């Protein structure tokens, strides 16, 4: 319930309207309608914060309307709707799913090719200087290129779209839960997410493009669900079907799944990611559409890979379309090997929970810096960029040069292209194993770690140094003002300590060190992300090794279970830290000791079934509520009766179209003048604003028949229902408003309205602090 100004409302309204006034006949026999009704049930206020951090800016948070409003106009549209419209709607849904897949696939290809060419050109120039022993110039060029790219990414985030900073997965997850955070899916955010991610990853930061790709796919889905643009004349009658939050939610879910499919080339993993982590509501029809969308992404990427064979698209590496193929090694394992896997899972859970704890602390510190202004965001990015460049260029000097294996031939050392044996400063026929991990792109570093074969390819000390560096660089990099994902840093760190474990335990196990790297990455992912099914399938699709399924399942389950003993998953922590009012799938234990009526906050404004225009305008001005109960009263009925709920946005449409009557008992023009699609929710625009409406004094004395726009099937609960049960009902149905009705007769027909903020722990424990200690 948006109550930011409710304290002021109560003070202003208390003397004049803090009472229930029933409609009555005047002495002349005419009908006198009451003033707006303020039900005096319990004037406790919801004083908890209803703002959240979006791109380091504090923004007002509202909820999304996922509920179908079944009013008279909606029913009339259903009666008049032809079968052709139903078919058209179904075709459009699948067409949009196709377009989301095509768009996300193209962006994924463009993103990868951009990173590979920019990073490849930078590394190629630096390598030429290294071969000429011009080490100072090489570092200056390397750090300078990284700094320019970092500043470009930071400037886009700081000045164009602050909401594009970070991963974007927490924001998408909150949106699909029903949280309407400003600008997180706007077109500028999409633009900055694409180019900022390219610049940030190419700048050598320890970040991934996978999280930003999820956000990008969601932005593409939202853009298609805007219902056209009146500003640019891009409107069509068919787009009206998607002018509601419910259909946009489905498109954004498809976009999030497509983002994972485009980032990892894992179409099934994308569907499961949307099901397990992103979406709060799911149904079989949505499963089909997300599966179709990710299949389109896979086909698009496969087509571009075929086109780019031979290296014609990528200056460096294999075009960046990652596939860590470890299927050349067939795992054979026994009971001792399973004990080793369990050990890896425990280590991954412990390291993952510590990682999440440190990320939370760093993010809170960075928020203090970022709040000071855009220039401070850019300075922070520059500092982290210089530190990363020093680490990437300086740490390989700690490693000794290793003679090239005799069986690899011309592949060692690698000069001028992607490979497993970086020359760096070494003499001919030698390579630097740390440079093979640091002085390359993140995707190629993962390939090097996952590669099967001798555990002597990397020295144990080099793997430990790389793990420590990546672990802490990933922590301090996430949260700066660039698009940044967590998947790649976590996979790098997990694969490095997995390979360490494989090297140490090689006398006791038959598993290859490359498989140990995969299991280490899985354990660390499970310890940080706290996902199981989707991560398992993503890793198997990435590595093309289905035989590893039992071991990956085991290590994910153990790492998640261990990490859950200490804190939440990283995305859940970020949602909580940003202040986004996310509703969990389960109710808190203390909610079992309370009932719905215990947490209802006021004041509550209601309307009569037939209401004066002036009363409507006045109520909309003095409140920021988005839902108002409609009550039929005498003389129309013998006793007050709850008719339903009317939305603020629908009232604004009525005021804009001036669908008024001069007398209360006059036939309303609403059914003839308006259709249900006229009440469709606008896209990213502002929609109708009360301040922009011009209503004369004469019109203020006219009337509106609320019955035609009232949702007469709005959800209600009795005030004595358990709060735990109420919270689960509210989330499972995807509600924005839940009406609370009295248990006994002889009272006003409504006790209050529950909204998302009324279920927040801050509000409930603020009212009943003693509940915090109850189990």
């Amino acid at each position: 319930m948006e109550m930011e100004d409710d304290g002021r409302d109560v003070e202003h309204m208390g003397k004049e309207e803090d009472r229930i006034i029933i409609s009555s006949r005047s002495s002349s026999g005419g009908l006198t309608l009451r003033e707006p009704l303020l039900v005096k049930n319990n004037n406790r206020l919801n004083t908890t914060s209803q703002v959240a951090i979006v791109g380091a800016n504090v923004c007002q948070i509202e909820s999304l309307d996922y509920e179908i409003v079944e009013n008279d106009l909606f029913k009339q549209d259903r009666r008049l709707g032809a079968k052709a419209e139903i078919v058209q709607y179904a075709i459009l849904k699948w067409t949009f799913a196709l377009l989301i897949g095509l768009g996300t696939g193209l962006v994924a290809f463009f993103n990868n090719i951009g990173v590979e060419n920019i990073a490849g050109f930078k590394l190629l120039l630096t390598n030429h200087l290294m071969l000429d022993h011009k080490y100072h110039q090489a570092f200056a060029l390397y750090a300078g290129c990284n700094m320019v790219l970092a500043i470009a990414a930071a400037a886009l985030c700081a000045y164009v779209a602050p909401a594009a900073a970070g991963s974007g997965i927490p924001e998408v997850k909150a949106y699909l839960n029903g949280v309407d955070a400003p600008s997180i899916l706007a077109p500028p955010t999409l633009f900055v997410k694409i180019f900022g991610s390219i610049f940030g990853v190419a700048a050598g930061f320890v970040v991934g493009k996978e999280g930003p790709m999820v956000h990008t796919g969601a932005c593409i889905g939202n853009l298609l669900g805007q219902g056209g643009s009146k500003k640019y004349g891009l409107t069509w009658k068919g787009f009206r079907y998607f002018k509601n939050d419910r259909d946009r939610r489905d498109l954004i879910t498809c976009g999030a799944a497509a983002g994972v499919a485009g980032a990892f080339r894992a179409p099934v993993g994308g569907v499961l990611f949307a099901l397990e982590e992103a979406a709060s509501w799911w149904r079989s029809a949505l499963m089909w559409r997300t599966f179709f969308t990710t299949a389109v992404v896979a086909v698009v990427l496969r087509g571009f890979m075929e086109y780019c064979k031979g290296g014609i698209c990528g200056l460096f590496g294999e075009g960046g379309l990652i596939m860590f193929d470890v299927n050349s090694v067939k795992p054979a394992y026994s009971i001792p090997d399973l004990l080793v896997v369990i050990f890896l899972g425990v280590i991954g859970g412990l390291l993952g929970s510590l990682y999440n704890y440190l990320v939370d602390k760093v993010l809170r510190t960075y928020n203090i810096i970022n709040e000071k202004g855009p220039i401070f965001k850019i300075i922070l990015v520059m500092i982290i960029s210089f530190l990363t460049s020093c680490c990437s260029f300086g740490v390989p000097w700690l490693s000794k040069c290793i003679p090239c294996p005799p069986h690899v031939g011309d592949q060692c050392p690698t000069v001028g292209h992607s490979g497993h044996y970086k020359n760096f400063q070494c003499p001919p026929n030698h390579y630097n194993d740390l440079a093979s991990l640091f002085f390359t792109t993140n995707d190629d570093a993962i390939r090097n770690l996952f590669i099967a074969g001798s555990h002597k390819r990397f020295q144990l000390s080099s793997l430990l140094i790389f793990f420590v560096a990546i672990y802490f660089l990933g922590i301090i990099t996430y949260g700066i003002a660039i698009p940044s994902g967590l998947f790649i840093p976590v996979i790098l760190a997990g694969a490095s300590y997995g390979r360490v474990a494989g090297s140490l335990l090689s006398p006791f196990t038959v598993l290859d060190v490359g498989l140990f790297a995969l299991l280490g990455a899985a354990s660390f992912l499970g310890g940080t992300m706290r996902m199981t099914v989707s991560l398992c399938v993503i890793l198997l699709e990435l590595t093309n090794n289905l035989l590893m399924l039992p071991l990956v399942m085991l290590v994910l389950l153990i790492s998640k279970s261990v990490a859950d003993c200490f804190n939440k998953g990283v995305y859940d922590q970020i949602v909580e830290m940003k202040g986004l009012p996310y509703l969990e799938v389960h109710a808190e234990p203390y909610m079992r000791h309370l009932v719905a009526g215990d947490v209802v906050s006021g004041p509550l404004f209601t309307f009569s079934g037939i209401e004066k225009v002036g009363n409507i305008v006045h109520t909309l001005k003095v409140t920021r509520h988005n839902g108002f109960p409609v009550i039929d009263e005498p003389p129309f009925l013998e006793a007050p009766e709850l008719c339903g709920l009317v939305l603020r946005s629908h009232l604004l449409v009525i005021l804009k179209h001036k669908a008024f009557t001069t007398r209360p008992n006059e036939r309303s023009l609403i059914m003839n003048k308006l259709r249900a699609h006229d009440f469709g929710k606008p896209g990213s625009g502002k929609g109708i604003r009360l301040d922009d409406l011009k209503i004369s004094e004469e019109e203020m004395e006219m009337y509106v028949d609320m019955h035609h726009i009232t949702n007469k099937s709005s959800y209600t609960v009795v005030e004595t229902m358990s709060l735990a049960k109420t919270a689960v009902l509210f989330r499972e149905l995807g509600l924005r408003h839940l009406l609370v009705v009295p248990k006994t007769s002889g009272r006003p027909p409504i006790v209050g309205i529950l909204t998302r903020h009324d279920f927040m722990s801050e509000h409930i424990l603020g009212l009943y602090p003693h509940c915090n200690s109850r189990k």
Side-chain angles (χ1 to χ4, degrees), residues 363-650:
L363 284 176
R364 294 181 186 276
T365 304
Y366 284 175
N367 276 335
I368 298 173
I369 299 172
N370 291 335
E371 286 175 358
K372 296 182 182 296
I375 191 64
F376 287 89
K377 296 181 184 180
I378 296 176
I379 292 173
L380 179 60
V381 170
M382 293 171 65
I383 293 172
I384 301 299
S385 174
F386 184 73
L387 180 62
T388 303
S389 298
C390 291
C391 187
S392 299
F393 192 89
V395 171
W397 292 88
L398 301 175
S399 177
K400 297 179 181 179
C401 292
I402 304 174
C404 288
H407 64 278
V408 297
D410 296 337
Q411 296 180 12
C412 181
T414 301
V415 178
H417 61 89
S418 172
H420 305 301
Y421 305 95
K422 291 291 183 182
N423 178 261
F424 205 63
Q425 89 291 5
C426 293
N429 297 321
H430 289 71
Y431 74 97
N432 187 314
D433 59 345
L434 264 179
S436 300
L437 299 175
F438 274 110
F439 206 64
T440 186
T441 61
N442 293 333
D443 290 351
D444 281 328
I446 296 175
R447 287 190 184 94
N448 293 340
L449 288 169
F450 278 6
I451 192 170
S454 173
H455 62 272
K456 297 180 181 179
R457 186 185 302 272
F458 298 100
Q459 300 175 87
L460 191 62
S461 58
S462 298
L463 290 171
L464 289 171
I465 291 171
F466 180 73
F467 165 69
V468 173
I470 290 297
Y471 190 90
F472 289 103
L473 279 176
I475 290 170
I476 65 173
T477 304
Y478 191 81
I480 60 177
I482 62 169
S484 52
L486 280 172
F487 275 96
I488 291 300
V490 170
I491 290 176
L492 282 171
S496 57
Y497 78 68
R499 201 168 180 100
V500 168
S503 300
L504 293 174
L505 299 172
S506 57
F508 311 103
T509 180
V510 297
L511 288 175
D512 185 83
V513 288
L515 300 181
F516 265 102
L518 171 61
L519 293 173
S523 69
F524 201 16
L525 283 168
T528 53
M529 311 291 182
R530 312 293 165 83
M531 294 181 282
T532 52
V533 180
S534 56
L535 281 180
C536 181
V537 174
I538 287 172
L539 287 171
L540 293 177
E541 289 185 283
L542 269 176
T543 56
N544 196 22
N545 196 336
L546 190 60
L547 296 176
M548 288 293 290
L549 175 62
L551 297 183
V552 174
M553 290 174 65
L554 180 62
V555 79
L556 281 170
L557 286 171
I558 293 172
S559 61
K560 181 188 185 304
S561 301
V562 171
D564 280 340
C565 297
F566 298 96
N567 50 31
K568 295 181 178 180
V570 63
Y571 296 133
D572 293 322
Q573 285 189 171
I574 295 171
V575 166
E576 184 177 334
M577 188 208 69
K578 287 178 173 290
L580 297 168
Y582 187 87
L583 292 175
E584 297 290 348
V585 67
H586 60 275
E588 296 294 337
Y590 58 78
M591 291 184 178
R592 295 195 298 266
H593 305 290
L594 300 170
V595 296
D598 290 335
V599 298
V600 171
S601 55
L604 175 70
F605 291 82
T606 72
F607 289 117
S608 290
I610 297 177
E611 190 61 82
K612 256 189 179 182
V613 174
N615 291 344
I616 297 173
V617 173
H618 174 71
T619 304
L620 295 181
K621 281 183 178 179
V622 299
T623 70
R624 296 176 52 252
H625 302 181
N626 287 285
F628 302 91
V630 176
I631 296 177
D632 283 328
E633 299 175 293
F636 302 106
L637 297 174
E638 293 183 1
E641 181 181 292
L642 178 63
C643 180
L645 186 80
V646 64
L647 297 180
R648 183 188 193 93
S649 58
H650 291 187

Side-chain angles (χ1 to χ4, degrees), residues 48 60 88 168 176 180 208 215 260 317 330 337 339 382 400 420 505 511 525 545 575 587 608 612 690 693 723 739:
T48 58
Q60 187 70 31
Q88 188 181 62
L176 293 177
D180 189 11
H215 196 177
V260 175
K330 294 188 177 181
D337 299 319
L339 296 177
M382 293 171 65
K400 297 179 181 179
H420 305 301
L505 299 172
L511 288 175
L525 283 168
N545 196 336
V575 166
S608 290
K612 256 189 179 182
L690 183 63
L693 300 178
L723 185 59
L739 305 184

